[in-house]
Amino acid sequence: MDTQPRLIASIADLRSNLCAARKAGKRIGLVPTMGALHEGHLSLVRQSQAQCDVTVVSIYVNPSQFGPREDLAKYPRTLKSDVEALAEQCADIVFVPSDNEMYPAGYGTWVEPGSVAQPLEGQCRSGHFRGVATVVLKLFEIVRPDAAYFGQKDFQQALVIRSMVRDLNMPVEIVVCPIVREPDGLALSSRNRYLSPAARRRALVLWSSLQQAEMLVAQGERSAEKIVAKMRDTILTAADARIDYIALVDPETLKPVLDLTGRTLAALAVTIENTRLIDNCLLEPPK
Ligand code: AMP
């Protein structure tokens, strides 16, 4: 049975709505999103529902995490269908602040994330994690959740948030949920809708290259250089693929790994037909 979630745009209203729940000792879960919701987002909502008494889903396309040449203006905004999907999941509250509510005139405080924000996405998208960390910290202050839910799809983002929470002693549990994929392996993303049907097929090279890395590791290959070279060949079978990075890194520090002796993150960012896609998987060399 669907239950309409409460749609709240103001910080003051959200706080007063959560006040009674908090006083009653209820566990509050937060799922931060930029909307254009898909099964990946909804899996986070379900996880929050399973572990919390009240689930707040924020939908906010945060301008401060987009670079000047990125897709802020054309980012999909589908509030009506998002709210319908959240009603099906019985989410309690949907927080939809305006830019003015989040960044009123005179706004000037920013979170400078630490070293895990530097490589990979940090290198390609200058200022991205400063914007992400700032908006997430603001959402944590506004909602004061007991737990917050993020996807492994944005592995580095989850790491940046984890280190912010640790460094700033924030009393919130960070839960990272597995990547939800289409049946053919493409990781769900709000940006997939930009892809033409042919580009959508070419985009499968991301998943193929990650599977190839898994297979090479299972066969005993331990050289990061060799694994990355094979992944690159696979990606480049898509004629228009532009690779930002293919990286094998330590999943805690994101420092490059040369020989795979333990758990290693394989992460990539590739543009297909003007749409930048990211994906990753954890490689577990058998002991
Ligand atoms: P976004 O709306 O893209 O900012 O994503 C909001 C949250 O959903 C982030 O924590 C993402 O990591 C997560 N997410 C996005 N795509 C997926 C996916 N395919 N599987 C699981 N989580 C996802």
Side-chain angles (χ1 to χ4, degrees), residues 31-44 58 60 65 75 149-155 157-158 175 177-182 186-192:
V31 182
T33 81
M34 298 204 300
L37 300 184
H38 50 63
E39 269 303 311
H41 299 111
L42 300 180
S43 73
L44 309 185
S58 62
Y60 180 58
Q65 70 189 66
Y75 196 84
Y149 295 81
F150 295 87
Q152 190 197 311
K153 164 82 172 18
D154 298 271
F155 190 99
Q157 167 173 283
V175 181
C177 303
I179 301 177
V180 178
R181 299 181 179 280
E182 302 275 11
L186 184 69
L188 295 190
S189 162
S190 304
R191 290 186 168 98
N192 290 351

Side-chain angles (χ1 to χ4, degrees), residues 242-257:
R242 276 185 288 125
I243 299 171
D244 270 354
Y245 59 80
I246 302 172
L248 296 190
V249 295
D250 180 295
E252 300 295 326
T253 62
L254 302 187
K255 296 224 164 79
V257 163

Side-chain angles (χ1 to χ4, degrees), residues 11 14-16 18-23 25-31 52 54 56 95 135-148 170-173:
I11 294 168
L14 182 66
R15 285 195 167 133
S16 63
L18 289 171
C19 195
R22 189 168 293 109
K23 276 211 185 106
K26 298 216 159 137
R27 185 173 165 84
I28 298 171
L30 170 67
V31 182
C52 300
V54 178
V56 180
F95 180 49
V135 81
V136 170
L137 180 133
K138 284 172 67 69
L139 289 167
F140 285 0
E141 283 300 306
I142 293 164
V143 176
R144 292 180 43 215
D146 297 283
M170 305 176 79
V172 52
E173 182 193 346

Side-chain angles (χ1 to χ4, degrees), residues 159-170:
L159 211 54
V160 166
I161 300 304
R162 265 191 203 287
S163 50
M164 174 180 80
V165 162
R166 188 198 56 222
D167 291 348
L168 301 183
N169 313 100
M170 305 176 79

